[in-house]
C-alpha cells in the first residue's frame, strides 16, 4: 500500500508591516480563492470594526476554553531552561478546518477537543472571528491566510473547498507532489505570509508522489504599543534563571501613574495595550512559584491571563521592567492532540475524512507547530506555523512592580479575550 499524506501547516504572526501576500500573481491559478476584507485606515479602524457582525458568545467561550486547556496541556511539558511559544488560535484554525473535512466519530472527537457543542456554527462563526480580528493599516496588521495544496491526480470535494475559502479564507491549488519545484512554491508562500521569519527552507516542505494534500494556515500580526518605551531608558540588568544562575540582558522601562494590575497569592499580572486593540499580558509568578505551576492548571492560567479585565483588577502605579526578547520555538503536538481527545484521526482504519476526498486511507500522522516572536520599544511581532501531516481609567489605589527579571508568562490577546499566543520566557537571551 502506498503511503498517502495530507499535510496541514499553520503559520501565525509575523514581522513585516506591509506584506505583498494576497496579490501575488501565482495566486491567480487557485482553483478556490477567498475574498479578503478591505483595508481600513488606522484613524477609521474602531468605527468600521464596530459595524461588523457580532460573534456568538458561546462560540467565543468555546474558543477560549480550548485555548487555555490546550495551552496547559502543551506548555506544561516544555523544558524550563528554554523559551516556549504556542499559538492557540493557529491550532484552533487547523482543527476547525479538520472538523469541516471529517465526518462521524473523527469529526466529533475534533469538535469535542475544541469545545464546539453546536457544530453548525463553527464555519460561520470562525469567519466572523477572522473579520472581527482582521486589521491592515499603516500601524500594523493581523491577518489569517490558509492554503490547500492538492494532488492534481486526486479528486477533492469542490463544494468543501469553496466553503473553506469563504469561512476560513483558504486558497486551493492543484500541484504535482512529485515535482521538486512544488516544495519551493509552498516554502515561498509560507515565507511571504510570515514576513520571511518562517518557511525559508524548501526542505521543511518536502513532498513526494504519494502525498494527497498539504494545508497551510498563516496568521500575520504586528502592532505598536499604545505607549511606546523610551529607548534612552532601556538599560542592561540581571535576569535570574530557574537554576539560580544569572545573565545580563536589556530591560525596557516604563512607569504608569494609574494602570490596571492584579496582585494575588501566586502571581502579579499587568498588561500593555496595542494601538489596534488587544493587549499583551505579563504574568510574574511569586518568588518560589514557577511558570509551570500556573500553566499546569488551565483555570489558573485562564484567571492569570484574563484577570487584568476581571473584578480582581486594581488601579495604581505600575512599574514595568521588561526584558527584550526575540526567539523561535518548535512544538511536536501529535501526542498532545491525543491527550486533548483527538485520537481516531491518527488511526488508519478509523479516520474518516470522506467529505474532503474519497481517497483511502487518509489519516493524520504528525502535528507540529513552529512560532517566532519579538518585542522592542516600539511594539511586538509574532508568527506561528502549525503543520498537520495526513498519511493515506480609575483612581489609583496601590502599586505593582512588574520587574520581569525571572521566568514569566505572557500572552497576546485580542479585545474579545481570545489568546493569539501564550508563551514562557525562561531566558530572554535565548534565540
Amino acid at each position: 500500500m502506498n503511503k498517502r499524506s495530507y499535510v496541514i501547516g499553520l503559520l501565525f504572526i509575523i514581522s513585516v508591516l506591509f506584506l505583498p501576500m494576497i496579490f501575488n500573481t501565482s495566486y491567480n491559478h487557485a482553483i478556490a480563492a477567498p475574498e479578503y476584507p478591505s483595508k481600513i485606515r488606522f484613524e477609521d479602524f474602531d468605527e468600521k470594526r464596530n459595524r461588523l457582525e457580532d460573534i456568538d458568545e458561546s462560540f467565543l467561550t468555546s474558543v477560549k476554553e480550548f485555548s487555555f486547556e490546550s495551552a496547559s496541556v502543551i506548555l506544561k511539558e516544555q523544558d524550563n531552561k528554554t523559551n516556549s511559544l504556542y499559538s492557540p488560535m493557529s491550532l484552533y484554525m487547523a482543527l476547525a478546518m479538520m472538523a469541516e473535512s471529517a465526518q462521524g466519530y473523527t469529526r466529533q472527537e475534533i469538535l469535542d477537543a475544541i469545545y464546539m457543542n453546536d457544530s453548525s456554527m463553527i464555519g460561520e462563526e470562525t469567519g466572523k472571528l477572522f473579520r472581527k480580528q482582521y486589521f491592515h493599516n499603516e500601524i500594523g496588521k493581523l491577518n489569517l491566510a490558509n492554503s490547500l495544496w492538492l494532488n492534481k491526480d486526486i479528486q477533492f470535494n469542490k463544494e468543501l473547498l469553496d466553503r473553506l475559502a469563504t469561512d476560513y479564507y483558504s486558497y486551493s491549488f492543484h500541484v504535482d507532489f512529485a515535482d521538486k519545484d512544488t516544495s519551493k512554491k509552498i516554502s515561498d508562500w509560507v515565507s511571504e505570509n510570515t514576513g520571511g521569519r518562517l518557511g525559508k527552507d524548501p526542505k521543511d516542505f518536502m513532498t513526494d508522489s504519494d502525498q494527497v494534500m498539504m494545508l497551510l494556515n498563516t496568521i500575520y500580526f504586528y502592532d505598536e504599543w499604545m505607549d511606546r518605551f523610551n529607548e534612552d531608558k532601556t538599560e542592561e540588568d540581571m535576569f535570574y534563571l530557574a537554576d539560580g544562575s544569572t545573565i545580563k540582558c536589556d530591560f525596557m522601562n516604563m512607569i504608569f501613574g494609574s494602570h490596571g494590575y492584579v496582585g494575588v497569592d501566586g502571581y502579579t499580572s499587568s498588561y500593555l495595550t496595542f494601538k489596534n486593540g488587544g493587549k499583551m499580558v505579563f504574568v510574574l509568578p511569586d518568588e518560589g512559584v514557577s511558570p509551570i505551576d500556573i500553566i499546569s492548571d488551565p483555570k489558573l492560567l485562564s484567571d492569570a491571563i484574563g484577570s487584568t479585565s476581571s473584578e480582581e483588577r486594581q488601579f495604581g502605579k505600575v512599574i514595568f521592567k521588561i526584558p527584550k526578547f526575540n526567539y523561535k520555538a518548535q512544538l511536536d503536538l501529535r501526542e498532545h492532540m491525543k491527550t486533548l481527545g483527538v485520537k481516531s484521526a491518527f488511526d488508519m482504519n478509523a479516520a474518516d475524512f470522506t467529505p474532503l476526498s474519497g481517497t483511502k486511507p487518509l489519516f493524520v500522522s504528525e502535528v507540529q507547530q513552529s512560532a517566532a516572536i519579538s518585542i522592542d520599544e516600539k511594539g511586538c511581532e509574532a508568527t506561528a506555523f502549525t503543520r498537520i501531516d495526513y498519511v493515506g481609567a480609575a483612581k489609583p489605589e496601590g502599586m505593582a512592580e512588574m520587574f520581569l527579571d525571572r521566568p514569566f508568562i505572557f500572552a497576546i490577546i485580542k479585545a474579545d479575550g481570545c489568546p493569539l499566543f501564550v508563551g514562557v520566557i525562561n531566558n530572554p537571551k535565548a534565540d
Side-chain angles (χ1 to χ4, degrees):
M1 179 186 299
N2 288 332
K3 288 186 177 180
R4 302 283 188 182
S5 358
Y6 161 25
V7 181
I8 295 181
L10 206 152
L11 286 114
F12 194 52
I13 305 187
I14 303 313
S15 58
V16 176
L17 208 56
F18 301 104
L19 196 62
M21 183 177 72
I22 301 167
F23 304 104
N24 187 299
T25 55
S26 65
Y27 299 175
N28 294 334
H29 303 295
I31 59 177
E35 183 178 345
Y36 276 77
S38 60
K39 299 179 184 179
I40 299 174
R41 292 186 306 169
F42 177 69
E43 61 187 63
D44 300 326
F45 178 62
D46 286 335
E47 177 185 354
K48 293 190 177 181
R49 181 177 56 180
N50 290 335
R51 297 177 189 172
L52 294 174
E53 65 267 62
D54 290 331
I55 305 174
D56 185 275
E57 285 299 325
S58 64
F59 169 81
L60 281 178
T61 297
S62 296
V63 174
K64 294 174 189 177
E65 288 179 341
F66 162 74
S67 298
F68 292 114
E69 176 68 24
S70 61
S72 177
V73 166
I74 294 167
L75 294 179
K76 71 181 181 182
E77 301 293 336
Q78 304 309 303
D79 185 353
N80 69 355
K81 295 181 181 180
T82 60
N83 300 324
S84 56
L85 180 62
Y86 162 61
S87 171
M89 186 62 68
S90 178
L91 185 58
Y92 164 77
M93 288 293 170
L95 291 178
M97 294 183 74
M98 279 179 63
E100 292 282 14
S101 63
Q103 66 181 14
Y105 198 60
T106 301
R107 174 178 169 85
Q108 191 57 53
E109 281 188 338
I110 300 170
L111 291 173
D112 289 345
I114 58 177
Y115 291 84
M116 290 295 161
N117 298 320
D118 185 355
S119 62
S120 64
M121 71 167 64
I122 185 171
E124 180 180 356
E125 295 301 322
T126 298
K128 290 180 182 178
L129 180 63
F130 167 68
R131 291 186 290 275
K132 198 76 171 182
Q133 293 189 339
Y134 173 85
F135 63 86
H136 185 182
N137 53 46
E138 64 274 26
I139 300 296
K141 184 175 183 178
L142 171 57
N143 182 54
L144 284 167
N146 301 298
S147 62
L148 303 175
W149 304 77
L150 312 170
N151 190 313
K152 65 181 181 61
D153 297 323
I154 294 176
Q155 185 174 356
F156 291 88
N157 184 342
K158 182 62 165 60
E159 183 180 347
L160 175 60
L161 300 182
D162 288 338
R163 190 162 75 249
L164 293 176
T166 299
D167 293 338
Y168 296 90
Y169 294 83
S170 176
Y171 291 92
S172 294
F173 306 96
H174 273 149
V175 294
D176 181 358
F177 281 119
D179 188 343
K180 294 181 179 180
D181 287 340
T182 297
S183 295
K184 186 178 186 307
K185 290 178 182 177
I186 296 171
S187 177
D188 287 346
W189 190 90
V190 169
S191 183
E192 280 186 53
N193 288 283
T194 60
R197 288 290 297 273
L198 299 171
K200 292 182 179 181
D201 190 351
K203 293 180 181 179
D204 292 334
F205 304 93
M206 295 301 291
T207 62
D208 61 69
S209 58
D210 291 328
Q211 193 159 335
V212 175
M213 187 182 93
M214 178 179 288
L215 185 156
L216 297 169
N217 164 265
T218 66
I219 301 176
Y220 169 91
F221 171 88
Y222 176 82
D223 208 354
E224 296 180 0
W225 307 123
M226 182 70 74
D227 298 284
R228 187 181 300 186
F229 287 86
N230 185 339
E231 294 185 19
D232 293 337
K233 293 184 178 180
T234 297
E235 298 177 345
E236 186 179 70
D237 209 336
M238 306 300 294
F239 186 93
Y240 299 85
L241 304 178
D243 63 5
S245 61
T246 61
I247 60 170
K248 289 185 177 181
C249 57
D250 290 335
F251 284 84
M252 305 182 297
N253 295 276
M254 184 182 296
I255 299 176
F256 290 94
S258 178
H259 194 70
Y261 71 93
V262 171
V264 296
D265 185 24
Y267 63 85
T268 302
S269 65
S270 192
Y271 58 93
L272 298 174
T273 55
F274 292 111
K275 290 183 178 179
N276 281 285
K279 56 191 175 183
M280 189 165 185
V281 179
F282 299 90
V283 181
L284 179 64
D286 290 349
E287 293 278 4
V289 178
S290 76
I292 299 303
D293 293 333
I294 297 173
I295 287 173
S296 296
D297 184 337
K299 186 178 185 306
L300 182 57
L301 178 62
S302 174
D303 289 345
I305 292 175
S307 61
T308 54
S309 59
S310 73
E311 293 180 357
E312 294 181 322
R313 182 173 62 173
Q314 301 170 264
F315 284 89
K317 182 178 181 179
V318 177
I319 306 173
F320 278 101
K321 178 180 179 181
I322 305 175
K324 297 170 69 172
F325 53 82
N326 179 0
Y327 69 95
K328 294 181 180 180
Q330 293 186 325
L331 298 168
D332 185 342
L333 304 180
R334 176 189 169 100
E335 295 305 316
H336 296 311
M337 292 303 94
K338 294 181 180 180
T339 301
L340 291 168
V342 180
K343 298 178 180 180
S344 66
F346 296 90
D347 189 328
M348 179 178 66
N349 298 313
D352 189 349
F353 292 98
T354 305
L356 175 68
S357 173
T359 297
K360 297 290 184 178
L362 186 58
F363 61 101
V364 176
S365 63
E366 300 294 338
V367 181
Q368 300 176 353
Q369 186 179 103
S370 297
I373 188 169
S374 65
I375 67 170
D376 59 18
E377 291 86 353
K378 186 177 181 181
C380 175
E381 63 184 15
T383 186
F385 169 8
T386 308
R387 172 174 176 158
I388 304 177
D389 294 334
Y390 291 63
V391 177
K395 180 181 178 180
E397 296 179 353
M399 184 181 78
E401 295 181 337
M402 294 298 293
F403 293 174
L404 305 179
D405 58 358
R406 58 182 185 270
F408 62 91
I409 304 166
F410 69 85
I412 298 175
I413 62 176
K414 294 301 293 177
D416 54 25
C418 292
L420 302 181
F421 292 93
V422 181
V424 177
I425 297 294
N426 285 302
N427 183 346
K429 293 290 289 261
D431 57 7

